[in-house]
Amino acid sequence: MKGFKRQKEQGAPQHAESHKEQADLEKKDAQPADGELSGKSTTVSRRELLKLAGVGGLGLLLGGGVGAVLSAGQRLESMVTEADTQDVVPFYGKHQAGIVTPAQDFICFAAFDLTTSDKEQVRSLFKAWTEASATMTSGTLIGTENENLNLPPSDTGEAAGLSPSRTTITFGVGPSFFDGRYGLAGLKPAGFRELPRFQGDALDEQWCGGDIGVQVCANDLQVAFHALRNLARIARGTAVLRWTQEGFQRTAQADPAGSTPRNLLGFKDGTGNPDTSKADEMKRLVWTQSSDGPAWMGNGSYMAVRRVRMRIEVWDRSTLGDQEDTFGRHRSSGAPLGKAKEFDKLDLAATSPEGKPLTPPTSHVALAHGDGSINILRRSYSYSSGLDKQTGQLDAGLLFISYQRDLFKQFVHIQEKLARNDKLNEYIVHKGSAVFACFPGVSQGGYIGDTLF
């Protein structure tokens, strides 16, 4: 699979902070709190093992009058280089990472169903997930029992020796989380419910819903899978996997220019995204405010997830002209029809010499853009799940993910227009749907969902 490193063009997702501010945040937030699991691990990442090997293999005699010998299974925080730090996205912060973070190469998404009616068990799960997530995003194996031959290892081990790969882990809860099992029904956000069934939907239950949604993104698929696998292990007895989906985008190695990625229909995807470097714009479009209600969602966001299968074989027999009219953009450049550059302003009123609209009113871009007043932050990935044996065609498409301050005023408003009139509907079908209220960020010493509990 191929993915992408980051988007650099105007309008594509960017860090909310400048590079310098981000580096400062990473240096500050990457330090574990006292008693933090990430500060006690007896294993090391690839970078630390390499450094140890360079100074004597499995042991290192430290000076300073102490004369202590550290095994290769201990962390050496003082030896982390600037390059290592840049490979870590801090887990702790005002907002959860993985929302405005530049999209990494790969995703492992999972929906969980809770199997307990005990709220304290759910709280304990979120605490354990917090410790494990902070540890894994720093590039360290979880737990303290990874060398004992008489016990199952604390960590599954497939990420041992691998870099942190800019891993982010983002958590949210679905509408079913507030069904009364945990005494939290009164804290459910007003109007928070599963998405309506849109015209043309062909939803399959196996790709829908979930009490908890977890988005794991990383620049290495094995690292992302490792994180999700270990979260599922920790959840045993409290929650079970409901559905999962892996996804990919093109990598920085494949596209050093960092241009807007293309979907499996060959067109650029995400050109119209808001600029995430603009804090006011993110506050308006993405981050929920305490005044929106309820207070525990302040600095969080609402996530919409749609599994969209593409009829690739039909699309591949369509003419280029029909494909461009379907999207409303030129395939090669990504520019609006009649324009030359990807980020040229979209003018839906522009006409040809014959008086016909340059951008067909039923094109995807015309309907999604509308008058430009309503927008969402897209963070989608392509997927390929092999062959559909019933049809003999590829089961491939888009794991569409968007973040927005208000699900119904933003996502549902746009999707209703697309479902009715979008010419792209000839080539796609929505098979999965889920929504999650994503918590605000976690402070040092806190845990995921502590504002709710």
Side-chain angles (χ1 to χ4, degrees):
M1 293 183 181
K2 294 184 178 180
F4 78 95
K5 185 81 171 178
R6 66 180 61 199
Q7 298 173 351
K8 294 182 180 177
E9 275 88 342
Q10 176 185 356
Q14 302 290 332
H15 273 298
E17 299 85 18
S18 67
H19 293 298
K20 181 179 184 301
E21 290 171 334
Q22 181 66 16
D24 292 339
L25 282 172
E26 289 174 350
K27 291 177 181 178
K28 176 182 178 182
D29 293 343
Q31 299 301 318
D34 292 342
E36 188 86 23
L37 179 61
S38 60
K40 290 183 176 180
S41 174
T42 58
T43 58
V44 292
S45 63
R46 170 188 56 82
R47 60 177 178 262
E48 294 164 340
L49 286 171
L50 290 175
K51 291 166 184 170
L52 283 169
V55 289
L58 297 181
L60 172 63
L61 182 64
L62 298 182
V66 178
V69 177
L70 299 183
S71 72
Q74 294 175 295
R75 287 178 60 81
L76 297 179
E77 295 290 349
S78 62
M79 300 182 71
V80 176
T81 67
E82 181 179 352
D84 296 325
T85 302
Q86 292 175 352
D87 207 27
V88 174
V89 178
F91 178 75
Y92 295 104
K94 180 179 180 180
H95 305 289
Q96 285 198 75
I99 298 177
V100 299
T101 307
Q104 301 94 319
D105 298 347
F106 302 100
I107 187 173
C108 285
F109 191 93
F112 287 83
D113 280 339
L114 289 160
T115 58
T116 179
S117 58
D118 186 342
K119 183 172 74 172
E120 289 307 311
Q121 288 187 11
V122 180
R123 189 202 305 269
S124 295
L125 173 62
F126 282 135
K127 287 182 177 179
W129 271 354
T130 299
E131 290 187 272
S133 297
T135 300
M136 291 187 291
T137 55
S138 72
T140 307
L141 301 186
I142 61 174
T144 58
E145 297 295 346
N146 286 303
E147 305 294 336
N148 191 329
L149 298 179
N150 298 314
L151 292 173
S154 303
D155 191 290
T156 53
E158 67 270 31
L162 303 182
S163 79
S165 301
R166 297 195 64 79
T167 300
T168 57
I169 307 176
T170 312
F171 296 88
V173 290
S176 58
F177 185 86
F178 300 93
D179 61 7
R181 286 172 289 175
Y182 312 114
L184 300 172
L187 294 175
K188 181 180 179 180
F192 180 49
R193 59 188 183 277
E194 297 293 348
L195 297 174
R197 198 175 188 93
F198 300 104
Q199 182 177 320
D201 277 2
L203 301 180
D204 188 333
E205 186 63 24
Q206 67 172 317
W207 301 110
C208 296
D211 291 335
I212 303 172
V214 181
Q215 173 195 275
V216 181
C217 297
N219 285 335
D220 184 272
L221 183 56
Q222 184 153 315
V223 171
F225 176 81
H226 163 264
L228 185 57
R229 177 185 178 187
N230 280 275
L231 293 177
R233 287 183 77 198
I234 293 169
R236 286 175 185 168
T238 305
V240 295
L241 287 168
R242 180 182 179 94
W243 59 270
T244 66
Q245 180 64 63
E246 296 174 358
F248 58 92
Q249 295 187 0
R250 54 98 175 100
T251 64
Q253 182 178 6
D255 180 17
S259 57
T260 306
R262 296 179 184 270
N263 57 39
L264 296 185
L265 299 183
F267 280 72
K268 296 193 174 189
D269 197 307
T271 300
N273 258 345
D275 186 350
T276 60
S277 68
K278 296 180 178 179
D280 288 345
E281 188 79 345
M282 292 300 95
K283 184 176 180 179
R284 182 176 70 88
L285 295 173
V286 176
W287 303 126
T288 54
Q289 307 301 306
S290 297
S291 58
D292 296 340
W296 66 265
M297 270 292 290
N299 293 318
S301 189
Y302 290 99
M303 177 202 298
V305 185
R306 303 280 285 180
R307 190 179 190 269
V308 185
R309 182 171 175 179
M310 294 176 171
R311 298 186 174 106
I312 291 177
E313 291 83 358
V314 178
W315 178 261
D316 290 345
R317 294 193 293 270
S318 302
T319 66
L320 177 60
D322 183 69
Q323 291 180 359
E324 291 192 340
D325 283 345
T326 296
F327 271 99
R329 290 185 178 274
H330 294 295
R331 190 177 84 154
S332 59
S333 65
L337 295 182
K339 299 293 182 69
K341 298 179 181 180
E342 178 182 358
F343 297 105
D344 284 346
K345 185 177 180 179
L346 179 66
D347 182 4
L348 297 180
T351 59
S352 68
E354 296 78 24
K356 295 178 61 176
L358 286 178
T359 305
T362 57
S363 66
H364 185 73
V365 68
L367 292 168
H369 182 271
D371 62 6
S373 63
I374 298 176
N375 204 352
I376 56 179
L377 179 62
R378 296 162 178 81
R379 206 173 195 279
S380 304
Y381 287 80
S382 297
Y383 79 84
S384 176
S385 295
L387 192 68
D388 182 339
K389 294 184 179 180
Q390 291 184 333
T391 64
Q393 297 180 334
L394 290 172
D395 179 8
L398 190 73
L399 182 64
F400 174 92
I401 297 176
S402 70
Y403 290 93
Q404 46 273 307
R405 181 175 173 178
D406 189 301
L407 270 172
F408 282 78
K409 289 181 180 179
Q410 292 172 263
F411 175 79
V412 172
H413 175 82
I414 294 173
Q415 185 57 36
E416 284 179 338
K417 292 192 300 178
L418 295 174
R420 289 194 300 267
N421 301 310
D422 192 358
K423 196 172 186 299
L424 187 60
N425 292 335
E426 298 176 27
Y427 305 102
I428 64 174
V429 58
H430 291 249
K431 301 295 289 185
S433 179
V435 293
F436 301 97
C438 294
F439 301 112
V442 184
S443 300
Q444 290 276 0
Y447 62 92
I448 301 158
D450 55 7
T451 56
L452 172 61
F453 285 101

